[in-house]
Amino acid sequence: MAKYESVIGLEVHIELRTKTKIFCDCPADHGGDPNTRCCPVCMGMPGTLPVLNKRVVEFASRAGMMLNCEIAHFSKMDRKNYFYPDLPKAYQISQLDHPLCEHGYIDINVNGEEKRIGITRIHIEEDAGKLVHTDGGSGADCNRCGVPLIEIVSEPDIRTAAQARAYLERLRELIRWVGVSDCQMETGSMRCDVNLSIRPVGDTNLYTRTEIKNLNSFKHIVAAIDAEKARQIDETEAGRALVQETRRYDPEKDKTYSMRVKENANDYRYFPDPDLVPIILTDEDHARFRAMIPDLPEERLAKYVNELKLPEATAKSLCEEPVLANLFSAAAEQVQQPKLLANLMLADSDAVSIPAEIWTELTNLCAANKINRSAPAKLLEAYRETGKDISALVQELGLEQVQDTGLLNSVADEVIAANPKAVADYKAGKEAAIKALMGQIMKRTKGAANPQEATALLKEKLAKL
Amino acid sequence: MQLDAKTLDTLAWLSRLDIPAEEEEALSSSIAEMLTFFQQLSALDTEGVEPTAHIAPLENVLREDEPFSERLDRDLLLSGTESEDGLITLPKVVG
Ligand SMILES: [Zn+2]
């Protein structure tokens, strides 16, 4: 039996995290009752006109730059015509011959082997609606109609399921990192179609390929690739010709099956959309987008560990969430103790909702011992409720650490005078008795005394007695 | 210009139209006539002319990514169509 290799190209659709849809001002986020997030434009009603969302161009360009693409100076929108009830206009606005981004790549590493996977193009397009099938028949929900997508098309450079997985993981990491999508397979904000053909190892021709659609997890993608490769080898070995077709993967049977649609008759009849004018991007636009491209995630991690001296686990936790990492980087510029900042941020369950300058202020107050260690949580809670200045809240809540040694001095004297038994016990060698005295000091200062300082002061005074 | 039966069949399928057999011939010649009319455009010499993406001398008609605060009421939006529980009722087309 000849040895075969698979030739794989991936088409990945990613939802852009804009506030509004691509051609109208309907909200683009998930949720809502059926048909409550749509309007005459995204429902394709006659007489309406689409207007392109500026941020879609920016987000798609940034994604392209993160994936090493060239960004177009001239780009345009086209109509892709096809009939399906989740598409009210009977065409999808997409891009055919002038996509926004082209000629990129992603470097992957599988078992120590480096490989570069080419990216043919990235174009912008609108999502379709959702069909809901009930006993009574089918209904259409247009909430998703017009949600902005980018489609990222790879070169057929992928040879194994492991490489496909590595490519997708790196793609997701980079797109999340550049901040234009959350890329979640579970919610459908990232979707993947696989194009696969086989050939004898050493052959460089391309043969009949099939497309496997609607794969909704990395695990299924890997399994579908293995199952489809095995099927194509079986067919070839048995002397049966492969058909170019769309297939689906059934995880229960671990097999792909044909969708049996009239492929040969499909013809999208693309043409330039007369409702939308060309997108022209100048060198200045490119430079503006370029300025928003962050360093690579691994560069950031190295910086946190080597320059800011964060423990590796702490640095990794920060870098897992790009928004959190960016917030940390911004706040860290103004603090002397980045590790303290990182710990404060990671201890909070919703750190990204607090502005960088608040984190800076909080860290610096802690570092200077101006507030005690339990104060940050109280301050953050109060800040979320009131939005007041941190310094005002420290005063209001009485969270200042007592720095006034004169005050601490007199409180210590009072406590010693008021607790002769504890003092006698301590002098008799029961060191634990000092805890009772400390407790009294904390009580009288309402917890504001610095414990180390207070203990030292007490010991000093007791020694003199 | 001629339009063969197979092309007409494909066009009808793409448009989801059922064309009665007795109308096929008349329709074929009518479409062929239109195509012939458009063919006159091929007579023009377009040597050295950049392909045009849009006839209006406009570019970058863009909007800010800001949601419109007032949403159209769903009942109004769906008033022109049959609906049930907020879903647009569809003829059986799938499966
Ligand atoms: Zn809309």
Side-chain angles (χ1 to χ4, degrees):
Chain A
M1 189 176 120
K3 212 166 150 25
Y4 294 95
E5 67 176 6
S6 28
V7 178
I8 302 164
L10 299 177
E11 289 171 18
V12 178
H13 285 90
I14 289 172
E15 276 177 22
L16 296 177
R17 200 164 48 184
T18 53
K19 285 188 211 155
T20 65
K21 293 184 177 179
I22 183 168
F23 300 119
C24 63
D25 54 16
C26 290
D29 49 341
H30 286 249
D33 286 335
N35 292 312
T36 54
R37 297 185 179 197
C38 42
C39 71
V41 175
C42 53
M43 291 177 93
M45 293 191 188
T48 58
L49 277 179
V51 185
L52 183 59
N53 182 342
K54 195 185 266 185
R55 191 168 270 140
V56 170
V57 177
E58 179 208 311
F59 276 17
S61 301
R62 278 165 58 187
M65 286 175 173
M66 200 72 214
L67 304 180
N68 310 296
C69 288
E70 291 163 20
I71 311 301
H73 285 90
F74 173 92
S75 187
K76 72 176 179 53
M77 305 307 299
D78 300 281
R79 290 187 183 180
K80 177 182 182 181
N81 300 278
Y82 66 95
F83 178 85
Y84 205 68
D86 62 3
L87 193 72
K89 297 194 297 294
Y91 60 83
Q92 179 194 31
I93 305 177
S94 180
Q95 297 194 291
L96 178 66
D97 52 348
H98 289 280
L100 205 54
C101 318
E102 284 182 286
H103 314 306
Y105 61 85
I106 285 181
D107 289 327
I108 58 168
N109 186 319
V110 178
N111 302 326
E113 194 199 331
E114 297 269 351
K115 191 169 163 80
R116 177 162 290 185
I117 310 296
I119 289 171
T120 317
R121 56 184 278 156
I122 303 176
H123 67 253
I124 53 177
E125 62 184 26
E126 58 180 342
D127 203 353
K130 197 171 86 180
L131 293 186
V132 182
H133 303 289
T134 58
D135 299 338
S138 300
D141 172 7
C142 294
N143 284 356
R144 311 298 307 149
C145 286
V147 167
L149 301 176
I150 46 175
E151 179 175 336
I152 303 169
V153 183
S154 87
E155 291 287 314
D157 291 344
I158 299 165
R159 294 287 166 271
T160 64
Q163 287 176 8
R165 189 184 182 116
Y167 168 84
L168 289 169
E169 281 174 350
R170 182 64 169 163
L171 178 66
R172 179 174 64 178
E173 183 185 24
L174 292 174
I175 297 294
R176 279 169 52 84
W177 189 245
V178 78
V180 301
S181 176
D182 59 1
C183 296
Q184 289 185 319
M185 297 285 290
E186 315 85 69
T187 60
S189 65
M190 178 171 175
R191 299 162 229 167
C192 179
D193 301 336
V194 175
N195 285 300
L196 188 148
S197 63
I198 56 161
R199 66 185 175 199
V201 174
D203 193 339
T204 53
N205 295 315
L206 294 174
Y207 295 92
T208 305
R209 64 184 162 87
T210 57
E211 183 175 19
I212 314 163
K213 274 199 184 292
N214 296 329
L215 295 160
N216 57 12
S217 73
F218 284 3
K219 208 177 121 199
H220 286 175
I221 293 166
V222 167
I225 287 172
D226 289 335
E228 179 59 12
K229 182 187 182 188
R231 185 193 71 90
Q232 289 193 11
I233 291 173
D234 285 350
E235 292 291 295
T236 306
E237 294 283 308
R240 286 188 291 265
L242 293 164
V243 188
Q244 184 166 340
E245 61 180 354
T246 304
R247 300 180 69 87
R248 262 180 214 253
Y249 173 69
D250 178 349
E252 301 220 328
K253 295 186 184 131
D254 191 25
K255 277 189 161 60
T256 67
Y257 61 93
S258 173
M259 285 171 71
R260 293 181 210 291
V261 284
K262 230 171 144 185
E263 285 288 330
N264 54 343
N266 229 342
D267 175 357
Y268 294 127
R269 294 151 291 151
Y270 278 99
F271 63 89
D273 193 317
D275 288 346
L276 290 153
V277 298
I279 306 158
I280 310 293
L281 296 175
T282 61
D283 289 341
E284 288 73 43
D285 293 322
H286 287 192
R288 189 160 48 83
F289 300 148
R290 180 77 57 198
M292 288 187 254
I293 304 303
D295 48 357
L296 290 170
E298 55 273 22
E299 290 168 354
R300 184 79 64 90
L301 188 75
K303 188 181 164 207
Y304 287 173
V305 172
N306 300 330
E307 289 175 31
L308 301 182
K309 308 290 176 209
L310 296 189
E312 189 155 339
T314 307
K316 273 191 178 151
S317 300
L318 289 171
C319 289
E320 248 164 50
E321 195 53 62
V323 188
L324 186 66
N326 290 338
L327 183 66
F328 171 78
S329 288
E333 281 176 21
Q334 305 290 331
V335 304
Q336 296 296 317
Q337 298 190 23
K339 193 178 155 190
L340 177 61
L341 169 66
N343 290 340
L344 287 174
M345 287 179 74
L346 290 171
D348 192 90
S349 60
D350 187 25
V352 294
S353 68
I354 304 287
E357 59 271 21
I358 301 291
W359 285 115
T360 301
E361 195 177 354
L362 212 53
T363 306
N364 289 336
L365 284 171
C366 267
N369 276 325
K370 291 204 171 125
I371 51 174
N372 59 51
R373 297 281 150 147
S374 68
K378 291 177 196 157
L379 286 168
L380 287 169
E381 195 190 327
Y383 175 79
R384 284 193 170 97
E385 276 171 24
T386 64
K388 285 186 188 166
D389 279 1
I390 290 294
S391 53
L393 288 170
V394 168
Q395 291 236 323
E396 212 170 279
L397 301 173
L399 293 172
E400 285 158 306
Q401 186 119 261
V402 174
Q403 293 274 310
D404 184 343
T405 39
L407 176 69
L408 193 59
N409 214 17
S410 59
V411 171
D413 286 341
E414 281 167 41
V415 166
I416 287 170
N419 295 279
K421 175 146 195 313
V423 172
D425 285 351
Y426 180 81
K427 295 296 279 184
K430 276 168 92 178
E431 290 211 2
I434 202 166
K435 283 188 185 152
L437 299 170
M438 266 302 294
Q440 286 298 314
I441 289 184
M442 294 317 269
K443 200 172 164 190
R444 284 173 194 234
T445 58
K446 296 196 177 87
N450 179 324
Q452 289 85 8
E453 256 179 66
T455 312
L457 188 68
L458 263 181
K459 280 188 179 166
E460 195 189 307
K461 285 183 184 293
L462 289 168
K464 284 188 199 151
L465 284 177
Chain B
M1 177 121 198
Q2 288 295 309
L3 191 78
D4 58 48
K6 195 170 166 283
T7 308
L8 185 71
D9 187 54
T10 305
L11 284 174
W13 184 79
L14 288 169
S15 322
R16 300 302 188 276
L17 291 175
D18 274 325
I19 298 171
E22 65 271 20
E23 286 179 25
E24 273 178 22
E25 208 185 307
L27 203 57
S28 277
S29 58
S30 165
I31 295 173
E33 219 172 286
M34 284 185 246
L35 291 174
T36 309
F37 180 70
F38 274 96
Q39 249 179 353
Q40 294 178 35
L41 289 171
S42 325
L44 288 172
D45 181 9
T46 55
E47 187 69 35
V49 177
E50 282 276 307
T52 308
H54 202 280
I55 52 161
L58 292 169
E59 58 188 43
N60 294 344
V61 177
L62 301 166
R63 38 170 273 274
E64 296 297 327
D65 184 28
E66 290 302 331
F68 181 57
S69 52
E70 283 176 67
R71 311 262 359 121
L72 265 187
D73 184 70
R74 183 169 72 182
D75 291 340
L76 181 63
L77 208 52
L78 300 183
S79 59
T81 180
E82 227 176 282
S83 66
E84 202 180 317
D85 298 331
L87 292 167
I88 299 162
T89 310
L90 299 170
K92 188 133 182 71
V93 283
V94 187

